Amino acid sequence: MRLFGQSIIAAALFGGAFIGLAAKADTAVERGLKVVREHCTRCHVVPGINPYGGIGSTPSFSAMKWLDDWAYRFEIFYILPPHPSLVRIEGVSEPRSDALPAFSKEIILTLEDVDDILAFVKTLKTPE
Ligand code: HEC
């Protein structure tokens, strides 16, 4: 009986640890989706997040996948206009120059976030 009780406790502990691990381990794709949802959908249309949102003049993420070098563009998007004035990468970008227009909120990301965004965009289908 005692042994039985112990194994239930052990199973509960093990199960708890397992669930804890599963809940913590967001994949790169999931992290990328969160970054994109929070920071990019203000301007870009992203399938599965805001198919009717975005700003008309801004390319949709799936349309960009028509370009052969789309992945490269996503790796360096923060140095391509108009992003330098609104996105800063920790440890990479210079502090924002006073000469640039002030936006209400600067987007501050890490290089890992940039990798995660790329992992997420890889999962988007190219439009038919
Ligand atoms: C303030 C609006 C705005 C936000 C926010 C924004 N973008 Fe953009 N993005 C643009 C516009 C406008 C263009 C088109 C630029 C052009 O045509 O030269 C663009 C173009 C791009 C391109 C293609 C660049 C090129 O020159 O080929 C990529 C990649 C990109 N954005 C990624 C992102 C990612 C990732 C985020 C979120 C972290 C983001 N953008 C947030 C406005 C925005």
Side-chain angles (χ1 to χ4, degrees):
M1 191 58 198
R2 182 142 176 261
L3 200 66
F4 181 67
Q6 271 175 350
S7 52
I8 285 183
I9 290 170
L13 284 177
F14 181 74
F18 188 72
I19 290 166
L21 264 182
K24 217 169 68 186
D26 258 8
T27 63
V29 172
E30 287 162 348
R31 289 193 305 268
L33 183 147
K34 284 184 191 159
V35 176
V36 167
R37 184 194 289 142
E38 187 178 345
H39 297 296
C40 316
T41 52
R42 180 147 57 97
C43 302
H44 292 274
V45 166
V46 182
I49 304 184
N50 66 337
Y52 306 106
I55 292 179
S57 55
T58 307
S60 90
F61 275 16
S62 52
M64 277 192 255
K65 293 190 78 177
W66 278 115
L67 305 166
D68 289 341
D69 62 345
W70 69 266
Y72 176 66
R73 290 172 192 243
F74 272 92
E75 276 166 27
I76 59 156
F77 82 92
Y78 51 88
I79 61 163
L80 299 174
H83 309 97
S85 59
L86 62 143
V87 181
R88 187 151 61 82
I89 308 295
E90 279 175 356
V92 177
S93 317
E94 301 274 326
R96 186 160 63 175
S97 150
D98 290 341
L100 293 169
F103 282 83
S104 53
K105 194 167 170 248
E106 199 175 5
I107 301 172
I108 299 173
L109 303 175
T110 62
L111 279 178
E112 203 192 352
D113 290 329
V114 176
D115 285 347
D116 293 343
I117 292 171
L118 185 61
F120 165 69
V121 177
K122 275 188 182 150
T123 67
L124 299 177
K125 288 200 175 66
T126 309
E128 307 284 304

